[in-house]
Amino acid sequence: MSLRSQLLKGVLEGCILSIIDQQPTYGYELSVRLQEFGLSDVSEGSIYPILLRLQKENLIVGTMKKSELGPKRKYYHLTDAGIEALTEFKLQWENIKIPVDHIIKQRGGYV
Amino acid sequence: MNSKDIVKLNNELREKLTATNKEIYEDMLVYIRLNNKSEQHTEEVLYEILEHLIQAQEEGKTAQEVFGNNLKAYCDDLIKEIPNEKKSLAFLFGSYIIIYFLAILSTFKGIGEYAIYYFFDKGSNVFSFSLGSGIIVIITDLIILTVFILLVLKWIKSTTFKIKKPKKWVEFLQIWLISTIFIGLSVLVPIIMPSFGAEISIPVISFAVLGVILFLIAYILNKKFRLTK
């Protein structure tokens, strides 16, 4: 797997946890939200292997529920372990974001 | 929600797909279903991507735009993440197939031989066999059945994601050949098996009775654990 896709994978998991944390979400809605935030690079279908993995790791749980309009949908919510994982992701992201931004910007300044 | 109920929902919802998308989705469905992973999680994710595809379709997107150009690789990604089936459930399903298979064999042998004896006065009212070779014959036939099932599943899997669909009669011939070899081998085993072990004689009609009991057990197992519907 390329560095780019590995990087994206970890970040994407964190983003999915964060969106589900805001309100119970189903697959299609989740992909729309990701695109709205500008992650249009992510192909829509790629969230489903990730959702399966997050379920396997017991970070999220899905339940089939009736939706207001449209057919039954599987809504996801975070488990306690999921909330913990999200907190950890936010912490790690903060730790990485600022130094990486500095490095990239400084280098950009010289060019 | 039980996987069998999700299958029903899937069957209804699938009708909303356009002809092209339906063909693509059904290939994915067959390919993904033919894994030995958790049925519950398999059906849940199949339903999710169907629902997604229908919404995307309404926005004018194609299946390739949603799942990428390499559908098979995408399905493999999904299958990899589906949890394994619980051992107890897999064992139960295996037992169900074996009991059902033995029920069919036993009933046909019992009724068939009894009818031939009764109406045509041929054969015997009593069936004699050797305990040792009898057990080996049953085990060998079950192994042949397992290989047969695995072969058919593999064959079905190989028919998915074909750009050019093969002719119907070619597919028929292939599956006919596999079935003929299976039936031939199953019949051959008791004929060529040398007799050993204690000799036992029982009236042939008792096979029919045993068959019916096995059918009942299979039926109850299926009802109780919702193995097939």
Side-chain angles (χ1 to χ4, degrees):
Chain A
M1 194 183 276
S2 68
L3 175 67
R4 192 185 124 76
S5 57
Q6 267 191 40
L7 190 71
L8 193 62
K9 207 174 89 178
V11 174
L12 203 54
E13 281 190 22
C15 293
I16 289 175
L17 286 177
S18 176
I19 290 173
I20 295 175
D21 185 41
Q22 286 156 35
Q23 65 180 83
T25 317
Y26 63 94
Y28 185 79
E29 192 185 13
L30 182 64
S31 81
V32 170
R33 301 285 303 277
L34 284 171
Q35 310 243 325
E36 275 173 4
F37 283 115
L39 281 175
S40 50
D41 226 20
V42 180
S43 93
E44 292 179 28
S46 61
I47 59 168
Y48 292 100
I50 298 175
L51 285 171
L52 278 167
R53 186 162 57 240
L54 293 175
Q55 284 175 87
K56 222 164 35 175
E57 290 167 1
N58 281 323
L59 302 182
I60 57 172
V61 170
T63 16
M64 297 280 288
K65 268 188 220 155
K66 251 191 140 71
S67 52
E68 275 172 43
L69 20 117
K72 277 204 165 126
R73 281 165 183 151
K74 193 175 170 189
Y75 284 88
Y76 292 99
H77 60 86
L78 294 192
T79 62
D80 289 341
I83 295 169
E84 223 170 90
L86 177 60
T87 318
E88 200 181 317
F89 170 76
K90 281 180 185 160
L91 206 78
Q92 284 177 350
W93 180 246
E94 284 301 324
N95 284 340
I96 285 176
K97 193 177 75 177
I98 297 161
V100 170
D101 270 354
H102 275 308
I103 292 167
I104 295 172
K105 272 179 194 147
Q106 228 176 39
R107 191 175 170 272
Y110 287 115
V111 173
Chain B
M1 203 172 181
N2 187 286
S3 56
K4 270 71 186 188
D5 297 318
I6 302 175
V7 171
K8 269 185 217 142
L9 280 182
N10 190 316
N11 293 343
E12 288 164 21
L13 200 60
R14 211 156 65 232
E15 295 308 312
K16 289 193 180 170
L17 288 172
T18 61
T20 335
N21 278 345
K22 197 171 175 203
E23 201 170 302
I24 294 171
Y25 178 77
E26 286 183 346
D27 262 356
M28 295 173 78
L29 179 109
V30 170
Y31 188 82
I32 294 174
R33 266 190 193 156
L34 289 178
N35 64 54
N36 49 3
K37 299 296 191 76
S38 154
E39 187 186 13
Q40 183 69 32
H41 281 91
T42 300
E43 290 309 326
E44 282 182 12
V45 78
L46 278 173
Y47 182 78
E48 279 183 289
I49 59 173
L50 170 62
E51 221 259 317
H52 193 123
L53 185 56
I54 286 173
Q55 298 216 37
Q57 175 181 290
E58 278 163 17
E59 290 168 26
K61 286 184 213 151
T62 65
Q64 276 85 358
E65 278 175 85
V66 177
F67 304 118
N69 284 320
N70 191 343
L71 289 168
K72 200 170 168 184
Y74 178 72
C75 292
D76 284 331
D77 277 350
L78 278 179
I79 293 170
K80 210 171 65 201
E81 299 296 345
I82 299 174
N84 289 328
E85 186 65 280
K86 284 195 198 99
K87 284 250 163 47
S88 55
L89 207 61
F91 176 76
L92 212 59
F93 190 68
S95 313
Y96 170 75
I97 291 181
I98 290 173
I99 293 171
Y100 207 91
F101 179 67
L102 293 178
I104 294 171
L105 280 188
S106 194
T107 309
F108 273 90
K109 186 176 177 59
I111 293 178
E113 291 197 2
Y114 187 75
I116 289 170
Y117 173 78
Y118 197 80
F119 291 115
F120 304 105
D121 212 17
K122 279 196 180 121
S124 168
N125 199 5
V126 180
F127 180 72
S128 301
F129 65 100
S130 307
L131 196 59
S133 46
I135 290 170
I136 299 292
V137 164
I138 289 177
I139 292 173
T140 314
D141 270 354
L142 284 175
I143 292 171
I144 294 172
L145 173 73
T146 311
V147 174
F148 171 68
I149 292 174
L150 291 177
L151 259 176
V152 171
L153 292 183
K154 211 174 159 173
W155 179 85
I156 297 173
K157 202 164 184 174
S158 77
T159 61
T160 55
F161 302 122
K162 285 254 171 78
I163 295 159
K164 220 178 119 217
K165 296 272 171 200
K167 292 194 173 63
K168 277 269 175 282
W169 68 267
V170 176
E171 293 196 320
F172 175 80
L173 212 68
Q174 288 172 335
I175 216 70
W176 177 83
L177 198 71
I178 297 175
S179 306
T180 306
I181 293 172
F182 161 66
I183 296 169
L185 281 177
S186 304
V187 174
L188 195 69
V189 170
I191 296 172
I192 59 169
M193 185 67 69
S195 302
F196 59 88
E199 187 96 354
I200 293 176
S201 295
I202 49 170
V204 283
I205 196 70
S206 50
F207 277 103
V209 176
L210 177 70
V212 171
I213 292 171
L214 289 175
F215 267 126
L216 240 115
I217 295 172
Y219 177 80
I220 292 168
L221 271 182
N222 193 10
K223 255 278 180 307
K224 185 149 191 242
F225 298 102
R226 297 193 71 179
L227 295 172
T228 66
K229 53 179 179 248

